[in-house]
Amino acid sequence: MARARTSRSAPSKARSPWRRRLGLALKLALAAIVLATAALVTAVYIARSQLPSFESLKSSPNGQMIRVHAADGSVLVSLGPSYGEWLSYDRIPAVMREATVAVEDRRFDHHIGVDPIGIMRSLYVNYERGRRVQGASTITQQLARNIFLNNQKKFGRKFREGILALALERKFTKDQILELYLNKVYYGGGAYGIDAASRKFFGHGAGELSLAEAAVIAGLVKAPSNYSPTADAEAAVGRAGVVIQQMVRNGFISVADARDANETGVKLAPAPRQNSVRYFTDWALPQLDLLIDETEKPLEVWTTLDPAMQRDADTAVRANVPKGAQGALVAIDRDGSVRAMVGGTDYVSSIYNRATQAQRQPGSSFKLFVYLAALEAGRTPEDRELDAPVTIDGWSPRNDSRRFSGEVTLRTAFAYSLNTIAARLGQAVGFQTVADMARRFGITTTVNTHPSMVLGTSDVRLIDMTRAFASVGNKGVAVTPFGITRVTADGEEIYRHEVDRSQVLVAPNVAAEMTDLLQTTVNTGTGRAAQIGRPVAGKTGTTTSSKDGWFLGFSSGLTTGVWMGRDDARPIAGLHGGTAPARAFQLFMSKAVANRPIERFETAVTLPEAQLEPDAESYYGAPDNSAFVDQDGYGPDDGTPAPQEQAPVFGPERPVVQPLPPRDDNGEPRRDDERLDQDWLDRVTGQPRRDAVRTPPPRTGNPTNQPPGERPNQ
C-alpha cells in the first residue's frame, strides 16, 4: 500500500516545475505590469508637470489673420499661415463642437486621453479592409501632436503622443482641451483654428458658422490638402456630408436637421487673385506696422486698388513690353490713392517690384524738374532760348537730330526735348536748384548735381516719378501715394486714412505752365503715341543705348507712369519712351479714364514753332567721359532706330524749317496736306479762332489724324 501511494504522487512531483515556472512567469508579468504602470504614471505626471499653463498655450499662436480688400470690397489676398480670433469654449458654436467630436472622436467625453476601444475598433476595421483606412487618435492625441510633436508615423512618436495625451487629460478639463483643439488645429490654406478657417473659406468669423459650414470645416482635419474648399470645393462638400451623417448617428442632430443643412448650398468665399496684384499688396501691407499696433486680432485691410484697372494695367504692360524685357506701371489718383500697380511681367517668376524698388535713370522725363525750376524762376513757355552748341564744365550735350534750331520757345524745346536748352536752363537756375526741385516733388533717391543731371543721369524709382507728375497735375499741391484706406479688427475700425492737401509745392500758375508744356509734348512732340482722345499731359524718357524707356502722364485726374527695360540694364533695340511705354500708357489710360468726365487743362494747346526731330540725349567729356543718350524718337515698325541724316555734332546753327505744303491749281493749300499751324490746332481742338468767337465742340480722336506714334509730315 505504501508503495502504491508513492507511485501515485510521482506525477504531481513531476508537474511541479512547470507550475513553478508558470507561477514565476505570472509573477514576472504582474511585476512588469506594475512596473510599466508605475513608469507610465510617473512619465505622465512628469509630462504633466512640464506642460505649459492653459493661458500660455492660448497665447502661443505666432501669426495674425489678415484679409486684404480691393476698393470694391472684393478680397485680394488672405495672408497666412495665420490664427484667427481666439474663441473661448462658450463662444464656439455648438454645431462646430458637435461636428468635430462626431467625426474625429465620438468617445471624446468618455476616454482618458487614449481610447483602447477605439484602438481595437481601428485594428479590426483595418484588418478587414486589408489596409489602413481608420485611425485611432483621439482629439487629445491630435492636440498633443499639433502642439508638441510632428506628423511622422513612427512608434516612438505615437508613444510620446500617448503620454502627452494622458498628461493633457490630467491637467486640463475636456472643455479646455476641445477649446485648444478648435483654436489650434490646421484646417488647410494656411488657416489655423476655426476662426481663421471660417474667415478664409466663408468670409466671416467662426461665431456665425451654420451647421453646413461647421461640417465643411470639421471635415478638413482628416486631409486639409485634399478637402480644402480652395483646392477642391466638390470634395469639401462631399466630406461635409459624411460629417453630417456622423452627427445624426451620434445623436447630435436629427434627421430633419441634417436634411435642412444643405451642405451642397454652402457659399464659399471666392479665391483671392494672385499674380500682379501681389506687387501691390507686398508694397502696401508693410505700412501696417506704422499705421496700427494691433498684432493679435484678425484684421480686415481695405485698400485703394481698383481690380479692373489692375487687370488693364497687367494687360497693357504684357502687350507692349519688348521680348526679354520687364515692365512696370503705377497709376495714382489725384488724392494719392494707388489704383493699379504692376511690378513686373509675372509675379510668380519674380517678386521683385520694379515699380517701387528698382532704381533706374529716367532720361528726358527728368526734364520735368528742370523746367519747373525755370518756370518758378520766372521763365514762361513763350520765352525764347538759343538752341546752339553749348559746353558746361567740359560737357557738351547734343540733340537727337544732331542739328540746332536757333532761337526757339521753351514750349518747342520741351516738346521736342532739345538737350541744349535743358542744359542752358539748368545752368541758369543752378543744378542744385534742379536737384532741390526733384526732392521737393518726392524723389527719394540721391540726385547728383553734375551738369548732365538735366538729362536724367540720377537713378529714380517709378513710383516717385509718377508722384511728381501727379503733383503737377494736382495744380502744384503735393500728392502722396497711399494704398490703405482703413483697417478693422473684429469689426471695429482702428485706422482710417486722411488725405493731406495742405502742402503746396509750386504756385498754381507754375503748375499750369508746366502742364502747358506737357500737353504739347503729347499732342505734337515725342509723346504722340500716348494720345487717348481727351486732354493728356505727359513726357517721354529714354536712356543710353535704349536701356530704359519711360512715359509718365496724366488725364482726368489719373496719373500713370510706365517703365520698361531689362533687369541687367542691357540695351533693347528700338526701345524709346515714345514707343512701347507710351503705347502701354495709351492702352491702359484709354480704359482707365473712359468713365470719368473729360477734364480740360487750364491752358489751351499751343503748337510749337517748328516740327523738329524727337529727342536723343548724350553727353561727352566731364564729369566721367561716358556717353548718355536719350532717344525718344520713333523708328520703323521693326523696332530699329529711324535713319537720320548725318551732320556734325558741333557746328554752325542749322534751324529745321518746315517745308511749305503743296498747293492746288488756284494756289491754295491742299486740305490733305494742311500746315500744322495755330489755325489748324484751333480747328482740331475746338478752340475759338483768333478772329472769331464760337462755342468749341468737344474734341475727340487723334488731333493729328494719324496713327499713334507716327510723325507729321515734315
Side-chain angles (χ1 to χ4, degrees):
M1 293 295 293
R3 188 176 301 166
R5 283 197 299 271
T6 301
S7 62
R8 283 197 299 270
S9 65
S12 176
K13 292 181 180 179
R15 287 195 299 270
S16 62
W18 293 105
R19 290 180 178 176
R20 286 197 300 272
R21 289 170 187 162
L22 179 60
L24 179 61
L26 291 174
K27 292 178 182 178
L28 290 174
L30 181 61
I33 291 173
V34 171
L35 289 174
T37 302
L40 179 62
V41 170
T42 302
V44 168
Y45 277 89
I46 290 175
R48 180 185 183 281
S49 67
Q50 295 176 347
L51 288 176
S53 67
F54 184 73
E55 292 302 320
S56 297
L57 291 176
K58 283 178 61 176
S59 62
S60 63
N62 183 24
Q64 186 176 33
M65 184 70 176
I66 301 177
R67 284 203 313 167
V68 185
H69 298 264
D72 63 359
S74 61
V75 177
L76 293 175
V77 64
S78 295
L79 298 184
S82 177
Y83 293 82
E85 179 188 1
W86 187 277
L87 298 180
S88 60
Y89 181 84
D90 57 352
R91 291 182 60 201
I92 299 172
V95 289
M96 187 70 247
R97 301 195 302 261
E98 292 166 354
T100 300
V101 171
V103 74
E104 290 297 322
D105 186 5
R106 63 174 180 263
R107 285 178 41 79
F108 173 69
D109 291 326
H110 307 290
H111 60 65
I112 59 173
V114 176
D115 185 10
I117 296 177
I119 293 173
M120 296 302 296
R121 182 180 63 249
S122 172
L123 292 173
Y124 176 76
V125 171
N126 292 338
Y127 174 77
E128 272 198 334
R129 301 285 180 87
R131 56 189 176 90
R132 190 178 186 276
V133 296
Q134 188 177 97
S137 292
T138 64
I139 284 177
T140 314
Q141 286 177 272
Q142 293 180 48
L143 177 64
R145 180 168 66 247
N146 283 319
I147 297 178
F148 304 110
L149 303 173
N150 54 45
N151 288 317
Q152 292 181 348
K153 295 180 180 180
K154 296 181 179 180
F155 177 78
R157 193 270 294 171
K158 291 294 293 183
F159 180 75
R160 293 194 299 274
E161 178 185 293
I163 296 295
L164 288 170
L166 293 170
L168 286 168
E169 292 273 353
R170 305 285 76 72
K171 184 159 187 172
F172 305 123
T173 65
K174 291 285 186 178
D175 290 355
Q176 287 177 320
I177 290 172
L178 191 57
E179 178 182 331
L180 288 170
Y181 179 84
L182 291 173
N183 281 284
K184 282 180 171 290
V185 73
Y186 181 61
Y187 288 103
Y192 289 83
I194 57 172
D195 191 63
S198 178
R199 292 176 189 275
K200 180 174 183 62
F201 301 130
F202 306 119
H204 58 72
E208 306 171 31
L209 285 171
S210 66
L211 171 58
E213 291 171 339
V216 170
I217 292 179
L220 297 176
V221 177
K222 180 178 181 180
S225 60
N226 294 337
Y227 296 120
S228 173
T230 56
D232 190 338
E234 186 176 347
V237 171
R239 175 66 176 166
V242 174
V243 174
I244 291 176
Q245 292 174 10
Q246 289 294 324
M247 294 179 72
V248 173
R249 186 173 297 139
N250 288 277
F252 290 116
I253 60 174
S254 66
V255 175
D257 292 333
R259 192 164 45 245
D260 295 339
N262 187 26
E263 67 274 11
T264 58
V266 170
K267 186 177 180 181
L268 299 174
R273 291 177 290 274
Q274 299 295 323
N275 211 339
S276 71
V277 76
R278 292 299 304 273
Y279 288 118
F280 172 80
T281 56
D282 288 354
W283 167 74
L285 289 180
Q287 301 168 27
L288 285 174
D289 293 338
L290 302 176
L291 304 178
I292 62 174
D293 54 10
E294 176 60 62
T295 59
E296 295 182 0
K297 294 181 180 179
L299 301 179
E300 303 285 341
V301 180
W302 306 84
T303 70
T304 60
L305 195 79
D306 185 306
M309 287 192 191
Q310 182 67 22
R311 289 191 295 271
D312 292 338
D314 213 10
T315 299
V317 170
R318 293 188 183 188
N320 289 281
V321 68
K323 184 178 180 181
Q326 280 288 350
L329 183 151
V330 177
I332 303 176
D333 225 324
R334 54 163 49 97
D335 63 352
S337 54
V338 175
R339 297 303 185 187
M341 177 180 289
V342 176
T345 56
D346 183 25
Y347 180 87
V348 174
S349 62
S350 173
I351 65 173
Y352 181 59
N353 193 337
R354 296 154 189 86
T356 61
Q357 295 174 284
Q359 299 182 30
R360 305 294 290 247
Q361 291 182 342
S364 276
S365 60
F366 192 83
K367 290 177 182 175
L368 174 80
F369 308 116
V370 179
Y371 280 77
L372 278 170
L375 294 172
E376 189 174 59
R379 306 299 295 270
T380 70
E382 303 301 332
D383 284 356
R384 307 184 74 81
E385 190 67 59
L386 183 62
D387 177 24
V390 60
T391 299
I392 305 172
D393 296 338
W395 171 62
S396 301
R398 64 172 172 82
N399 299 323
D400 179 35
S401 64
R402 302 197 175 205
R403 301 171 181 172
F404 303 99
S405 304
E407 195 175 74
V408 296
T409 63
L410 296 190
R411 176 180 290 104
T412 299
F414 188 82
Y416 296 104
S417 210
L418 300 181
N419 301 326
T420 59
I421 303 298
R424 292 180 187 275
L425 291 177
Q427 184 181 39
V429 300
F431 301 111
Q432 184 62 55
T433 301
V434 175
D436 292 342
M437 181 64 72
R439 284 189 283 268
R440 188 194 308 179
F441 271 77
I443 300 302
T444 56
T445 49
T446 302
V447 179
N448 71 63
T449 54
H450 300 308
S452 60
M453 61 92 73
V454 298
L455 305 186
T457 58
S458 298
D459 290 340
V460 296
R461 297 184 179 92
L462 175 61
I463 193 169
D464 290 346
M465 288 294 292
T466 308
R467 170 187 184 180
F469 276 76
S471 297
V472 173
N474 200 32
K475 301 181 180 180
V477 178
V479 172
T480 303
F482 68 96
I484 297 174
T485 57
R486 63 189 181 98
V487 181
T488 62
D490 288 343
E492 179 184 356
E493 186 173 277
I494 59 176
Y495 169 79
R496 178 175 289 273
H497 180 80
E498 298 292 338
V499 177
D500 180 8
R501 296 183 173 88
S502 63
Q503 188 178 4
V504 178
L505 303 179
V506 291
N509 68 294
V510 173
E513 290 174 336
M514 191 69 242
T515 301
D516 179 4
L517 300 180
L518 290 168
Q519 65 175 325
T520 304
T521 299
V522 175
N523 277 274
T524 63
T526 62
R528 291 189 296 276
Q531 295 171 3
I532 60 173
R534 63 171 65 198
V536 177
K539 185 71 182 77
T540 55
T542 311
T543 60
T544 309
S545 303
S546 297
K547 294 177 181 177
D548 302 87
W550 299 70
F551 188 88
L552 304 106
F554 50 86
S555 179
S556 299
L558 187 68
T559 303
T560 297
V562 180
W563 167 87
M564 292 182 183
R566 290 177 59 99
D567 289 336
D568 58 8
R570 290 171 57 188
I572 302 172
L575 176 63
H576 306 289
T579 55
R583 289 194 291 266
F585 174 93
Q586 187 276 337
L587 181 60
F588 169 74
M589 286 289 284
S590 60
K591 297 179 181 179
V593 301
N595 295 324
R596 296 188 176 206
I598 295 177
E599 297 181 13
R600 300 192 180 278
F601 301 125
E602 294 181 1
T603 56
V605 177
T606 304
L607 192 70
E609 298 173 303
Q611 295 300 300
L612 307 179
E613 292 292 329
D615 63 331
E617 289 110 18
S618 67
Y619 65 81
Y620 299 95
D624 59 4
N625 294 319
S626 64
F628 178 88
V629 180
D630 187 340
Q631 298 169 322
D632 285 335
Y634 300 88
D637 291 340
D638 63 0
T640 59
Q644 300 173 358
E645 178 183 342
Q646 297 300 314
V649 177
F650 306 110
E653 178 182 332
R654 299 179 59 187
V656 177
V657 180
Q658 179 175 320
L660 292 174
R663 296 178 179 272
D664 59 22
D665 295 338
N666 297 323
E668 296 295 330
R670 290 203 339 227
R671 299 292 294 177
D672 57 345
D673 288 294
E674 295 179 301
R675 178 187 293 273
L676 299 180
D677 56 13
Q678 190 61 50
D679 288 339
W680 169 84
L681 189 64
D682 291 340
R683 209 163 40 248
V684 298
T685 60
Q687 298 296 326
R689 291 172 55 91
R690 296 297 185 266
D691 56 355
V693 177
R694 58 185 174 85
T695 302
R699 182 174 70 87
T700 59
N702 189 330
T704 60
N705 293 320
Q706 299 181 22
E710 297 293 326
R711 299 182 185 180
N713 294 329
Q714 296 186 14

